[in-house]
Structures are given as structure tokens and as C-alpha cells.
Amino acid sequence: MTKKVFWEDPYQTQLSTRVARVENEEIMLEETIFYAFSGGQESDAGTIGGYPVISAAKHGLDIVYTLPVDHGLQPGQPVKVRIDWSRRYRLMRLHFAAEMVLQLVYKHAPGIERIGAHISDDKARIDFAREGNISALFPTIENEAAALIAADHAIITAFEDEERQYRYWEVVGFSRMPCGGTHPHSTAEIGSIKLKRRNTGKGKERIEIMLGA
């Protein structure tokens, strides 16, 4: 099982580790700071052993990285992992911004169903099954989100079940939810957010979440 250092310290940008397995262009590491696409959050960007990571994917409790076909890495070889910190930090902030918005939508639209989500480094989106314009909720959600951000609440992350690698986040007094993504330490780090509504089809509403300047 790949040790996931990004859970212990999501702010770490470099790591010295060893290659655990190699199969053609795909490799596994003994431990990693390089997040792989999961729960709607996109993968990090960066390098392993100086080679650009083409893709990162979960494989059970391991993570498989695809490198250029001529990478030449071997099992047991020491390597340096580096991630694009600017991208990671925006993903962290947008991820938790989306989590906040989701919980506030649940609060003010009881029974609403989330049907999709995606977090990239420029915006996050959440899709809902809903008839009618969801932007009617925006003034309330934006005000409550701004209050949570201004309050500088600690964002607690930990294992719900370490053996099965189930994790959660919690903001005391607000919410606690299962989640294995990367998160900032505090709501204040998110900064201001902007919401935009899109209608993606009959009975479907999308909220796009962007970070302020």
C-alpha cells in the first residue's frame, strides 16, 4: 500500500522516496505526496525522478503513476517527487469551498440530490437534480460562506477507518463529512468565493465556484 503523505502534510511539495514497482510506463512509489484523481478532485501536477507525471490514478489502496515510456526507473531506485504547489493550493482551497457550498445547499434546500462534482484548479462545480433556478439560494449561501471564512475555523482531517483508508473533514459547529481529498488547515485560507449558475439540462442545475481575486 502506498503511504499517502499528502494526508499527513498537504503543504509538502517535495519528497524523497523509492520506486516500489515498475510495469512499462506505470510505476508505484513506497510513499507519495502526489494526489491522484479521486472524489472529483483532479490530480496534482509535477514530476517523479525528474520525469513529468502524465497521469495519476488510484488502484485499490495504491496509486499508479504514468510516466513517459522512456523513463528508465527501476524498482528500489531512489527518486524525488515534486508537485506544482500553486496548482495544489488552488485545488485544496476550491475543494473545501465546494464542500462548504454543498453543505449550505443541503441546509437551505432540504432533500436536494447532488448528482456530480468536479474540482479543477480554476473552478469547482457541483451538479444537482433540481427543478427551478438554484441561484435563488446564492445570496444566503454566499453570506454564510463568507462568515465561515472570516471566522477562521480549523479544518480537521483524520481517518474514519485507517485500515480501509476512509477519511473525513470536520469544522466543529458546522459539519463533518467523509472525504479523502486535500484541504487547507483553516477556512480563512479559502479567501472570497464567487458562485455562478448553469442549467445543464431539464431538471439539472449546476453551481460553479470560483476563488475571488
Side-chain angles (χ1 to χ4, degrees), residues 55-114:
S55 69
K58 289 179 64 178
H59 185 79
L61 299 182
D62 288 306
I63 296 177
V64 176
Y65 299 104
T66 302
L67 303 182
V69 293
D70 60 348
H71 64 78
L73 298 179
Q74 298 296 322
Q77 183 174 341
V79 289
K80 181 83 78 174
V81 183
R82 292 184 171 89
I83 63 167
D84 178 337
W85 169 245
S86 177
R87 174 180 168 81
R88 158 67 71 81
Y89 196 46
R90 288 184 64 84
L91 285 167
M92 287 166 56
R93 293 163 64 209
L94 278 162
H95 187 154
F96 197 76
E99 295 279 18
M100 268 196 325
V101 169
L102 176 63
Q103 295 308 308
L104 291 170
V105 170
Y106 285 158
K107 175 183 174 182
H108 295 288
I112 195 169
E113 179 188 1
R114 184 190 70 171

Side-chain angles (χ1 to χ4, degrees), residues 37 39-42 98 116-120 123-126:
F37 182 88
Q41 180 178 332
E42 290 186 358
H118 188 88
I119 297 96
S120 64
K123 65 183 175 182
R125 65 166 172 80
I126 314 171

Side-chain angles (χ1 to χ4, degrees), residues 10-60:
Y11 296 81
Q12 186 171 337
T13 61
Q14 297 187 35
L15 174 73
S16 295
T17 185
R18 291 182 181 275
V19 177
R21 180 179 171 186
V22 177
E23 187 171 339
N24 300 319
E25 67 268 31
E26 295 182 342
I27 73 163
M28 294 182 184
L29 301 173
E30 292 181 358
E31 54 186 356
T32 187
I33 56 170
F34 201 114
Y35 186 82
F37 182 88
S38 181
Q41 180 178 332
E42 290 186 358
S43 302
D44 286 322
T47 60
I48 296 174
Y51 297 97
V53 177
I54 296 169
S55 69
K58 289 179 64 178
H59 185 79

Side-chain angles (χ1 to χ4, degrees), residues 112 128-134 197 199 201-205:
I112 195 169
F128 297 94
R130 178 182 171 90
E131 298 290 347
N133 193 325
I134 201 167
R197 177 247 182 184
N199 176 260
K202 183 175 174 57
K204 298 178 183 178
E205 290 283 297

Side-chain angles (χ1 to χ4, degrees), residues 11 85 89 92-93 149 152 184-191 211:
Y11 296 81
W85 169 245
Y89 196 46
M92 287 166 56
R93 293 163 64 209
I149 291 165
D152 195 14
H185 289 327
S186 163
T187 58
E189 293 183 57
I190 297 165
L211 299 176

